[in-house]
Amino acid sequence: MADTIVSPKPLETTTPPGAEVVLSVQGVSKTYTNGTKALRDVSFDVRRGEFVVVIGPSGSGKSTLMRSLNRLVDVTSGAVLVDGESLTKAGGARLRAVRRRVAMVFQHANLVGRLTVLQNVLHGRLGHMGTLAGMFGRYTEADKQTAVDLLREIELGEHMYNRAAELSGGQKQRVGIARAIIQDPSVLLCDEPIASLDPSVSKVIMDMIFQMATSRNITAIVNLHQIDVALRYATRIIGMHKGEIVFDGPPADLTAETIERIYDTPVGELMIGEELRGER
Amino acid sequence: MADTIVSPKPLETTTPPGAEVVLSVQGVSKTYTNGTKALRDVSFDVRRGEFVVVIGPSGSGKSTLMRSLNRLVDVTSGAVLVDGESLTKAGGARLRAVRRRVAMVFQHANLVGRLTVLQNVLHGRLGHMGTLAGMFGRYTEADKQTAVDLLREIELGEHMYNRAAELSGGQKQRVGIARAIIQDPSVLLCDEPIASLDPSVSKVIMDMIFQMATSRNITAIVNLHQIDVALRYATRIIGMHKGEIVFDGPPADLTAETIERIYDTPVGELMIGEELRGER
Amino acid sequence: MSADTLARPQAPAARIPLVSGQERRFFTAALAVIVGATALTTWITGFNPLAALAGMPSALGFVAADYLPPTVNNGGLLARALVETVALALTSTLVASALAFLAALIGCRAVSPLPWAAPIVRGFATLVRNIPDLVWAVILFTAMGFGFHVGFAALTLGTFGFLTRAFIESMDEVSADTTETLAAVGASFPQRVMQSIVPSFTKDFIAWFLYCIEVSIRGATIVGMLGGGGVGMLLNGELGLARWRPRAMGTILILAVLVIAVDLLTSYLRTKLLNPSAARSAADRSESALVVRRGRIAVTQRGRDREVNLFLLCALALSLAAFWPIRDASWGRLLTDFPHLSRTLFELASLDFSAWDRTWTSFLDTMGIAVLSTVYSAILALLIAPFATRNLVRNPVGPALITSVATLIRTIPNPVLVMMAIAPFGLGVTPGIIGLTLSSTAFFVRVFVQGYEDVPDETIEALQATGAGRVQVFLSAMLPASRSHMVAWIGMRFEMNFMGSAILGMVGAGGVGGVINEAVRGRQFGVAGVAILLVFVFAFALELTMAKVKRTYIR
Amino acid sequence: ADTPSGAQSLRIGYLPQDETPHFAAARQGLATDLAAATGLEVSEYHVADMSALVEAMRHGHVDMAIVGAMGVVQAYQVADSFPLVAMQQEEGPLHSDIIVRADSGIHTIADLMALDAPSIAFVDHISTTGTLLPAIGIMEAFPERDLDFDDILHGDVFSTVVFAGGHPNVAQAVIQGDAVAGGIAHRQTAVELERLGLSEDYLRVIHRSEPVMGATMVASSSLDADLIEVLRDFLVGFDNEDYFYGMWGNRSARFFDTEIGEFADLFVIDEMLG
Ligand SMILES: Nc1ncnc2c1ncn2[C@@H]1O[C@H](COP(=O)(O)OP(=O)(O)OP(=O)(O)O)[C@@H](O)[C@H]1O
Ligand SMILES: Nc1ncnc2c1ncn2[C@@H]1O[C@H](COP(=O)(O)OP(=O)(O)OP(=O)(O)O)[C@@H](O)[C@H]1O
Ligand SMILES: [Mg+2]
Ligand SMILES: [Mg+2]
């Protein structure tokens, strides 16, 4: 059994400093119309191949950050650059083109329940198609074949023609990942992809995200609540607290004090693995 | 900080064999109308003061078991005895009287969102009231005072008059616990009380359940997905697999093999703390 | 939390309140408004609920003496009229729902490609919706002549206004998440519509479509009474002479059978189509190999949505076929006569306040009818509905019985109910109040039952688990949990009753509708314009108030 | 009148009139003068529908009402009421017409019936001048066909029958072409033509009935006999021109004494209705 217990992480936990910057967040702030300051002057760069995990308590702005990275929320100030191109200013067709390079996996997968699994995966190709073809679901045979292969790879081949609404939570999430991957993105955003999944399913999903991202050299940014999971996969951890980044570094640097600062709670009061409780 | 890292568990992890049996499950099976066999001949006794955690993969019958303990589902065969009284045969007023001794905490708290926190807590008293008084929400001042005190104890005093729907997930769960406790039960059932809560909140909730149960000498039975959490609180663990009990014993006896048997998955494939991965 | 609410429990002698001061004040205020409005309108109209209750037995006696035994005079004629009325309902619902879908796409802020146009679409829908269908019918009949084409236009307009709002609300709910997801993928607006909104929305679309068919059959009957033809026209003739009443009853009963059949069929379709059985989907799982048709990979399984698609196809075919019985209508004139409409609207807009006094007193009567019928029917339904709720009553016979009586009452056109009430209760507002109370009680029973049955099982279980009895569970969980649903329906029905009472005047029960009818017949459009404006302003203010109350207090 | 004989109050019912420019104020003229003359408290009800009004009279909710000729028959038959006074206009008695558009090339009922798809507009099912008399005109034009009302109103004599709900609406239906012909009270045609700004000869009359009784005040038999005489005298002598202008657009109209015998023809028609 010992051979199954391998850390999924590549040996070098820091990214080659030479890799190019894929995503650049520059002084981003977001104040919602009700006055909530969800992000306060957040800046960081992400390079190709990094696997970044964002942690932080509820309401610290993790989701808001994610959603500003593909402009599902418009930031109040600052700029987001994807592959050097500004997302903040793009509009219409250019916005669509940038968005297609940033894929997103949501907490509840957000599939269209009445469509088949295959159709849901193929939605990932819409950004690459002409409007008319996309409207009527006239996907190319090549795209369809890719989708079928991808579904087989994630072991959902036999559920291809099921309605998405009929799947279990973990299966839905796998479809969500396939939809993101078929988009052929540079950046993969995942917002709490394993919240409320059971431990065996969580493992499958995290492994899948990790494996898909590394094998395709996609940069991943993942929001998580589980610190131990974060430590197991991340090449870099960003800790948020009240809309600000209070930690940004390799997992090895995440001390108990830092965790306390992020969660504003003594470590003893957190439901985390024993190994994090003392000094590391 | 070291002083915060105390195990919440009392030192003796096995229950005094002399304590009386509070709950007795005798050969219970449950087949749903669609043919699913959710429980197959399940038997066990629980004594006063035990803190039992039930673990098992999705669909193994944990929720069904819980719900047959207060007859929210009718078992197909077998018997459940609470304080020696058969739940299976009781009807009408007697069923209500037995139910009042078995309180339940649900995964999503299941509060009536439109009522105030105080009203939701007081629902726990309905089983103790005459129908007429209960009908018009005429709770006694003593009950109301108890509810207020309980809410202060769980630090929700200032949310007393908030609508339940306005609370966060963790706060809702605390109200659900208060509603169960005010019922003055012999047995407290909790069905995945911390699924989808963040780690700091999970800790608060589990501590609260543990503290409420031990301080009032209430027997607790808790369904959990997190094995590490189970190990931290349980005085006894029951492992289920496909409707059957495949493990029943003190946490110390839960080996990696047992875990594999319960989850039907190599330990390496489970998202659980590192300390469980090797032989214990 | 303000300090005063916290302070109270600490005072030893004081009773501990269960709700906050703010909420208590809101409920006190709401109760005061309702009691005040009831008292005021009782005073204005002189309606005596006890006398009404006491008069009920003799009312039934009169109805029995005049209307029974039901007879059918001319079966072929009746059959043709029924077909025409159903055809009118089907075609107008089809066209209105297609237009409303397009309008909702623009008007729904979450998905609109033209956010700036959203308020305009909503505004137009509001304008259309807040003028009763029958007023539209009268305006259109006057401007564009008579016949099915005008009845069609009036019904389509009314349904359009209603459906646009309903669709916008559904779209806000069902597709926000997935539409956003497709936006994140880089999909364009038309792609989002076809790939996310349309599939997610099918369910609600079908539900609303079926609901509107039912409502439109009633609407088509009443529009028919005014000049639209069909069974309403026939009924109007049969009500003309006292000795023809049994014929009218025969027609009503056959209409009731038809509506109940449509009702049963639609609720069967609703459950069948909208909640496909678990057994079926489990069976589907086995047939899962890759399907390649003519060298192309299939993205759906053939027959996957067979039932829903079949339904949509049948509905479309039937609605199109429904143009056949009314094919002789002068459809072309809808276009050629359209300019006449602008002249009539212009004449209406040349407001004439010379009959203001009478308009105002009639308006107060209308208000009285609306307020009192809503209050009394809500009270009646609150008492009746629990006995028709399947998760409360063990024996299914009671609920079934209550539901079918309610459906029968809802079938009888309001004007006919009012006519029946004239004999025992005399003229004026009393028969109007009684007629509307009856029909809205039937309505409330249905929606309250739906609300109770929709309360999540988990909530009910949580209460059962505390040892609470059935009555306690009902009062502590189901009633509060469905409160906002009930308040929303009561508000909506008040709007409907207000417009309904405005309409009643047009067929014989006084109120502001009488002024409109009389003025239009006397070709005094300016006077009618004032009355319509009054109705619109009030209905619109009511809608805004209800929306605000819902947003602020009834989350 | 709570106790009909010892009446303290008098309740008058009105139907909507199709030619009423100033109806509300005008009616008040009668109520005020009548109250002053009799010392009774006079209240008015406005009822939009003849059968509802007759229903109200039948059950004692209304003491007097102004109705059309067919309404008199109904009130007599079912509501135990009788005609008190009828309205006469100076320019002569009331007729019922069948009208067509002047440019239609139709001059007689026979022309109309010779069309491929003859169509007609009526007021409603039981209007004397707007439905029944025109229908009788058609029956009499084809005695050999032995038609009855059902054939004309619902049968296949016409390819389309429009019930327009009011006299002006009938004129409008003919003008707009909803129906080729229309049945209408004869003085109504001009009113609608004037509103639409059309010349008087835009429409042609192809059939005109014998004179009929116009608007008639009926009274309940349960009223005190002395009171009935007081009322009759008052109404016959009533000369408030504003009232007559308001109600019928004619200052010189007046009420005249009438009795049930003058409605004999209408009872025959009622018989024919089945
Ligand atoms: N649409 C919105 N309008 C107003 N405020 C919002 C909106 N969305 C989020 N917020 C607020 O912004 C803050 C950050 O929220 P966000 O969802 O980004 O946090 P999070 O870290 O993702 O939390 P969680 O762990 O609960 O998902 C919170 O205070 C939240 O209440
Ligand atoms: N009401 C029901 N009708 C039919 N089958 C049911 C019903 N409830 C549960 N089941 C089935 O019974 C089995 C046991 O379900 P149960 O909910 O008890 O499992 P569980 O261990 O609580 O799972 P989870 O961890 O997902 O909550 C499953 O196969 C489930 O599909
Ligand atoms: Mg979040
Ligand atoms: Mg469960």
Side-chain angles (χ1 to χ4, degrees):
Chain A
M1 192 173 10
D3 56 350
T4 63
I5 312 176
V6 286
S7 165
K9 234 183 291 182
L11 286 184
E12 63 298 50
T13 51
T14 49
T15 322
E20 84 267 34
V21 170
V22 187
L23 184 81
S24 178
V25 178
Q26 305 177 342
V28 162
S29 296
K30 170 68 189 177
T31 309
Y32 283 106
T33 42
N34 66 0
T36 312
K37 287 195 188 333
L39 294 177
R40 297 157 196 259
D41 192 19
V42 169
S43 300
F44 60 95
D45 286 354
V46 185
R47 291 168 186 279
R48 178 161 317 281
E50 284 194 273
F51 195 101
V52 182
V53 173
V54 182
I55 57 174
S58 238
S60 57
K62 303 184 299 296
S63 299
T64 306
L65 176 63
M66 282 284 160
R67 297 159 60 75
S68 59
L69 299 185
N70 62 355
R71 236 183 85 184
L72 284 180
V73 306
D74 277 309
V75 299
T76 313
S77 64
V80 175
L81 277 68
V82 178
D83 288 336
E85 198 167 341
S86 168
L87 181 70
T88 335
K89 298 205 193 72
R94 272 197 45 227
L95 175 61
R96 289 182 54 198
V98 182
R99 271 183 175 163
R100 137 183 127 198
R101 271 183 271 150
V102 184
M104 189 150 180
V105 171
F106 298 81
Q107 174 172 352
H108 298 288
N110 295 3
L111 307 181
V112 180
R114 283 189 35 80
L115 298 183
T116 62
V117 168
L118 188 55
Q119 284 174 306
N120 271 286
V121 173
L122 284 164
H123 279 166
R125 297 304 297 168
L126 287 175
H128 295 261
M129 301 166 70
T131 288
L132 219 63
M135 273 172 73
F136 296 103
R138 297 251 141 260
Y139 305 98
T140 64
E141 289 307 303
D143 281 351
K144 288 195 263 184
Q145 194 57 55
T146 316
V148 171
D149 294 344
L150 209 51
L151 280 171
R152 292 205 173 124
E153 186 182 341
I154 60 174
E155 288 171 15
L156 285 176
E158 47 184 287
H159 293 291
M160 204 145 59
Y161 294 119
N162 275 90
R163 234 178 259 246
E166 289 163 4
L167 302 183
S168 74
Q171 290 170 327
K172 280 188 189 146
Q173 198 54 290
R174 281 190 270 164
V175 177
I177 294 170
R179 178 179 62 195
I181 293 301
I182 206 172
Q183 210 178 312
D184 197 12
S186 311
V187 181
L188 177 65
L189 308 174
C190 309
D191 193 1
E192 296 184 23
I194 59 167
S196 70
L197 297 178
D198 80 13
S200 56
V201 178
S202 297
K203 178 77 166 51
V204 170
I205 296 295
M206 281 308 295
D207 281 353
M208 181 176 296
I209 292 173
F210 190 84
Q211 187 268 328
M212 292 277 181
T214 44
S215 70
R216 288 165 168 83
N217 205 20
I218 298 171
T219 303
I221 306 181
V222 184
N223 278 354
L224 285 178
H225 270 315
Q226 299 87 333
I227 302 173
D228 44 345
V229 180
L231 289 171
R232 202 172 320 155
Y233 294 90
T235 63
R236 172 177 170 189
I237 289 183
I238 291 182
M240 298 198 63
H241 179 77
K242 296 209 172 142
E244 284 177 284
I245 296 187
V246 295
F247 174 82
D248 184 355
D253 294 356
L254 190 69
T255 59
E257 283 94 324
T258 320
I259 294 178
E260 287 195 359
R261 191 141 48 89
I262 296 173
Y263 287 100
D264 222 354
T265 315
V267 168
E269 300 297 311
L270 290 172
M271 190 66 82
I272 53 180
E274 298 285 342
E275 70 274 28
L276 290 174
R277 295 180 157 260
E279 295 293 325
R280 286 160 51 98
Chain B
M1 193 169 9
D3 56 349
T4 64
I5 312 175
V6 286
S7 164
K9 235 183 292 180
L11 289 183
E12 65 294 53
T13 52
T14 49
T15 321
E20 84 268 36
V21 170
V22 187
L23 184 81
S24 178
V25 179
Q26 305 179 343
V28 162
S29 294
K30 170 67 188 178
T31 309
Y32 283 108
T33 42
N34 66 359
T36 313
K37 286 197 191 328
L39 295 177
R40 297 158 197 259
D41 193 18
V42 169
S43 299
F44 60 95
D45 286 353
V46 185
R47 290 170 187 278
R48 178 160 317 281
E50 282 195 277
F51 196 102
V52 182
V53 173
V54 182
I55 58 174
S58 236
S60 57
K62 304 184 297 299
S63 299
T64 306
L65 176 62
M66 282 283 159
R67 297 158 58 75
S68 59
L69 299 187
N70 62 356
R71 235 181 90 183
L72 283 179
V73 306
D74 277 308
V75 300
T76 314
S77 62
V80 175
L81 278 68
V82 178
D83 288 337
E85 198 168 340
S86 168
L87 182 69
T88 334
K89 297 202 194 76
R94 270 196 48 227
L95 173 61
R96 291 182 52 196
V98 182
R99 270 188 178 157
R100 159 174 110 195
R101 270 183 271 149
V102 184
M104 188 150 181
V105 171
F106 299 82
Q107 175 172 350
H108 298 289
N110 296 1
L111 306 180
V112 180
R114 300 214 5 93
L115 295 183
T116 61
V117 166
L118 186 57
Q119 284 174 307
N120 271 287
V121 173
L122 283 166
H123 280 165
R125 297 304 296 170
L126 287 175
H128 292 263
M129 297 165 71
T131 294
L132 218 64
M135 268 170 69
F136 299 105
R138 294 256 140 258
Y139 303 101
T140 63
E141 289 306 305
D143 281 352
K144 287 197 260 182
Q145 194 57 53
T146 316
V148 171
D149 293 344
L150 208 52
L151 281 171
R152 293 211 173 117
E153 185 180 341
I154 60 175
E155 288 170 16
L156 285 175
E158 48 185 288
H159 293 293
M160 202 145 59
Y161 293 121
N162 277 63
R163 251 171 241 249
E166 288 163 5
L167 301 184
S168 74
Q171 290 172 327
K172 279 188 192 147
Q173 198 53 291
R174 280 190 268 164
V175 177
I177 295 170
R179 177 177 64 193
I181 293 302
I182 205 172
Q183 214 177 307
D184 197 12
S186 311
V187 181
L188 177 65
L189 309 173
C190 309
D191 194 1
E192 296 185 23
I194 59 167
S196 70
L197 295 179
D198 80 14
S200 57
V201 180
S202 298
K203 176 78 165 51
V204 170
I205 296 295
M206 281 307 295
D207 282 353
M208 185 176 294
I209 293 174
F210 189 84
Q211 188 267 329
M212 291 276 183
T214 44
S215 69
R216 288 166 169 83
N217 205 20
I218 299 171
T219 304
I221 306 180
V222 184
N223 279 353
L224 284 178
H225 271 314
Q226 298 88 330
I227 303 173
D228 43 346
V229 180
L231 290 172
R232 202 171 324 154
Y233 294 89
T235 60
R236 171 177 171 189
I237 289 183
I238 292 181
M240 299 199 62
H241 180 77
K242 296 207 172 146
E244 284 177 286
I245 295 186
V246 294
F247 173 81
D248 184 354
D253 294 357
L254 190 71
T255 60
E257 283 93 325
T258 321
I259 294 178
E260 287 194 1
R261 188 144 49 88
I262 296 173
Y263 286 100
D264 222 355
T265 316
V267 168
E269 298 296 310
L270 290 172
M271 190 66 82
I272 52 178
E274 298 285 342
E275 71 274 27
L276 292 174
R277 293 177 161 263
E279 295 294 324
R280 287 157 53 96
Chain C
M1 262 311 93
S2 57
D4 72 324
T5 56
L6 272 181
R8 241 173 279 164
Q10 281 157 350
R15 297 163 49 83
I16 302 172
L18 290 173
V19 298
S20 71
Q22 190 206 350
E23 190 159 346
R24 179 192 299 274
R25 277 191 293 278
F26 170 69
F27 281 116
T28 314
L31 197 68
V33 168
I34 293 172
V35 170
T38 308
L40 188 69
T41 49
T42 301
W43 178 69
I44 291 176
T45 58
F47 178 71
N48 180 349
L50 295 179
L53 211 58
M56 273 303 158
S58 69
L60 285 178
F62 283 131
V63 170
D66 279 7
Y67 288 84
L68 299 181
T71 57
V72 172
N73 181 45
N74 184 338
L77 186 66
L78 179 57
R80 199 178 75 199
L82 283 171
V83 167
E84 284 166 352
T85 293
V86 172
L88 210 55
L90 273 175
T91 50
S92 63
T93 307
L94 176 78
V95 173
S97 52
L99 294 177
F101 181 73
L102 295 180
L105 280 181
I106 312 273
C108 174
R109 244 166 267 149
V111 303
S112 179
L114 310 169
W116 58 267
I120 301 177
V121 169
R122 284 163 181 256
F124 179 69
T126 306
L127 176 75
V128 169
R129 186 170 61 241
N130 284 320
I131 293 181
D133 316 23
L134 275 206
V135 174
W136 279 121
V138 167
I139 294 175
L140 292 179
F141 284 136
T142 310
M144 301 169 68
F146 300 86
F148 290 124
H149 65 293
V150 184
F152 170 87
L155 282 173
T156 304
L157 210 57
T159 312
F160 169 81
F162 172 82
L163 276 182
T164 304
R165 174 160 79 166
F167 282 2
I168 287 178
E169 276 169 15
S170 299
M171 278 190 198
D172 266 336
E173 264 169 43
V174 299
S175 24
D177 279 354
T178 48
T179 309
E180 178 183 276
T181 309
L182 289 203
V185 156
S188 62
F189 175 73
Q191 291 178 340
R192 271 176 272 161
V193 171
M194 292 299 291
Q195 291 293 322
S196 150
I197 296 174
V198 169
S200 314
F201 186 62
T202 313
K203 194 171 153 155
D204 285 37
F205 180 85
I206 293 179
W208 282 121
F209 182 80
L210 293 175
Y211 174 80
C212 278
I213 297 259
E214 274 178 64
V215 172
S216 293
I217 290 182
R218 296 191 180 98
T221 308
I222 298 183
V223 166
M225 293 179 89
L226 280 186
V231 74
M233 182 108 281
L234 197 68
L235 197 55
N236 215 12
E238 290 168 341
L239 289 167
L241 290 187
R243 60 177 183 270
W244 288 348
R245 300 274 157 81
R247 286 190 209 170
M249 196 62 195
T251 303
I252 287 170
L253 283 181
I254 289 177
L255 191 63
V257 168
L258 184 81
V259 171
I260 290 174
V262 171
D263 205 68
L264 287 177
L265 184 72
T266 53
S267 62
Y268 169 78
L269 288 175
R270 234 174 254 143
T271 45
K272 175 97 180 139
L273 292 174
L274 306 182
N275 320 306
S277 64
R280 183 179 148 70
S281 50
D284 279 344
R285 221 160 273 157
S286 52
E287 16 167 324
S288 53
L290 182 62
V291 179
V292 179
R293 278 183 225 123
R294 279 184 246 113
R296 302 174 59 85
I297 297 172
V299 291
T300 56
Q301 228 169 10
R302 217 192 273 273
R304 192 68 185 77
D305 284 323
R306 190 184 289 133
E307 283 159 3
V308 169
N309 291 340
L310 204 67
F311 168 79
L312 286 174
L313 217 71
C314 287
L316 185 70
L318 206 66
S319 306
L320 288 176
F323 278 107
W324 180 252
I326 51 177
R327 65 191 174 282
D328 291 337
S330 333
W331 298 110
R333 301 218 353 237
L334 278 183
L335 297 177
T336 55
D337 288 359
F338 200 72
H340 297 318
L341 182 59
S342 51
R343 193 183 62 197
T344 304
L345 290 178
F346 178 78
E347 284 174 313
L348 285 169
S350 321
L351 301 180
D352 171 356
F353 286 89
S354 63
W356 173 255
D357 286 349
R358 177 160 128 75
T359 308
W360 178 247
T361 39
S362 310
F363 176 75
L364 289 182
D365 282 349
T366 295
M367 283 288 295
I369 297 178
V371 170
L372 294 177
S373 61
T374 309
V375 168
Y376 290 123
S377 57
I379 293 173
L380 283 176
L382 272 175
L383 296 175
I384 297 171
F387 298 96
T389 304
R390 266 169 305 223
N391 45 6
L392 271 176
V393 183
R394 287 203 198 87
N395 186 343
V397 176
L401 203 70
I402 295 175
T403 317
S404 24
V405 171
T407 311
L408 177 67
I409 292 179
R410 290 200 312 138
T411 311
I412 305 179
N414 279 337
V416 179
L417 278 178
V418 172
M419 172 86 88
M420 290 174 169
I422 283 179
F425 301 110
L427 293 168
V429 293
T430 302
I433 294 171
I434 290 172
L436 271 186
T437 300
L438 278 177
S439 70
S440 50
T441 303
F443 173 86
F444 280 145
V445 166
R446 180 169 150 146
V447 296
F448 286 2
V449 166
Q450 236 166 42
Y452 299 153
E453 290 179 352
D454 283 350
V455 172
D457 288 345
E458 295 87 62
T459 309
I460 297 174
E461 277 183 351
L463 273 269
Q464 283 173 344
T466 67
R470 266 190 302 167
V471 180
Q472 289 176 332
V473 170
F474 173 70
L475 288 162
S476 311
M478 295 171 79
L479 204 55
S482 52
R483 191 160 70 199
S484 48
H485 168 93
M486 287 165 56
V487 170
W489 279 115
I490 292 177
M492 174 171 165
R493 184 68 200 197
F494 178 57
E495 289 173 31
M496 282 164 70
N497 278 353
F498 173 72
M499 297 209 230
S501 53
I503 285 167
L504 285 182
M506 313 188 67
V507 274
V512 72
V515 177
I516 297 173
N517 190 33
E518 203 175 342
V520 168
R521 287 177 69 165
R523 296 304 190 246
Q524 287 194 291
F525 290 103
V527 170
V530 170
I532 292 172
L533 191 67
L534 197 57
V535 170
F536 172 75
V537 167
F538 183 76
F540 187 49
L542 197 65
E543 185 179 321
L544 290 185
T545 315
M546 281 309 298
K548 172 129 182 72
V549 169
K550 256 192 268 184
R551 253 199 323 275
T552 331
Y553 300 102
I554 313 171
R555 281 151 297 177
Chain D
D2 302 317
T3 48
S5 45
Q8 296 301 305
S9 72
L10 199 62
R11 295 156 305 173
I12 306 179
Y14 284 95
L15 290 172
Q17 296 297 314
D18 284 333
E19 65 252 70
T20 52
H22 305 291
F23 47 89
R27 280 205 313 273
Q28 279 302 318
L30 178 70
T32 323
D33 291 355
L34 187 57
T38 59
L40 293 173
E41 189 187 310
V42 180
S43 50
E44 297 179 325
Y45 289 97
H46 187 85
V47 188
D49 182 88
M50 194 264 271
S51 53
L53 183 52
V54 171
E55 189 74 359
M57 280 198 97
R58 174 155 80 115
H59 292 95
H61 302 299
V62 166
D63 304 310
M64 301 209 300
I66 294 188
V67 295
M70 217 46 214
V72 174
V73 175
Q74 289 300 302
Y76 182 81
Q77 285 179 336
V78 302
D80 192 21
S81 304
F82 61 92
L84 196 61
V85 292
M87 218 253 330
Q88 285 278 313
Q89 300 204 7
E90 196 181 49
E91 36 322 358
L94 179 64
H95 299 276
S96 157
D97 287 351
I98 298 179
I99 52 171
V100 295
R101 259 176 22 193
D103 61 8
S104 64
I106 297 169
H107 294 268
T108 63
I109 293 179
D111 290 349
L112 173 67
M113 303 309 286
L115 293 179
D116 285 343
S119 56
I120 193 163
F122 294 119
V123 170
D124 56 27
H125 287 76
I126 48 171
S127 162
T128 319
T129 48
T131 308
L132 301 178
L133 291 176
I136 287 176
I138 293 163
M139 292 175 201
E140 287 171 348
F142 300 96
E144 72 287 357
R145 287 177 66 178
D146 193 22
L147 298 171
D148 63 17
F149 281 116
D150 233 21
D151 295 328
I152 291 171
L153 300 189
H154 305 300
D156 37 22
V157 172
F158 290 99
S159 71
T160 308
V161 177
V162 171
F163 293 98
H167 292 271
N169 290 350
V170 167
Q172 196 199 6
V174 175
I175 292 166
Q176 294 197 348
D178 295 310
V180 179
I184 189 169
H186 85 273
R187 276 193 289 268
Q188 295 281 324
T189 312
V191 176
E192 185 66 3
L193 286 175
E194 191 187 327
R195 180 182 83 90
L196 296 172
L198 297 170
S199 78
E200 269 181 47
D201 49 14
Y202 190 86
L203 295 173
R204 175 188 301 132
V205 175
I206 60 169
H207 171 80
R208 174 159 289 186
S209 72
E210 296 296 300
V212 269
M213 300 299 291
T216 301
M217 177 77 87
V218 292
S220 168
S221 307
S222 60
L223 288 176
D224 185 87
D226 295 342
L227 176 59
I228 289 174
E229 283 323 304
V230 172
L231 289 171
R232 194 194 304 272
D233 291 347
F234 169 80
L235 289 169
V236 169
F238 186 60
D239 59 357
N240 182 336
E241 296 197 342
D242 288 342
Y243 175 80
F244 289 104
Y245 178 70
M247 289 294 284
W248 287 281
N250 186 340
R251 294 196 166 275
S252 53
R254 292 292 181 272
F255 285 125
F256 288 87
D257 207 349
T258 186
E259 43 123 16
I260 194 69
E262 297 190 44
F263 293 81
D265 291 351
L266 291 150
F267 280 88
V268 177
I269 297 176
D270 181 67
E271 198 96 325
M272 291 166 66
L273 276 171

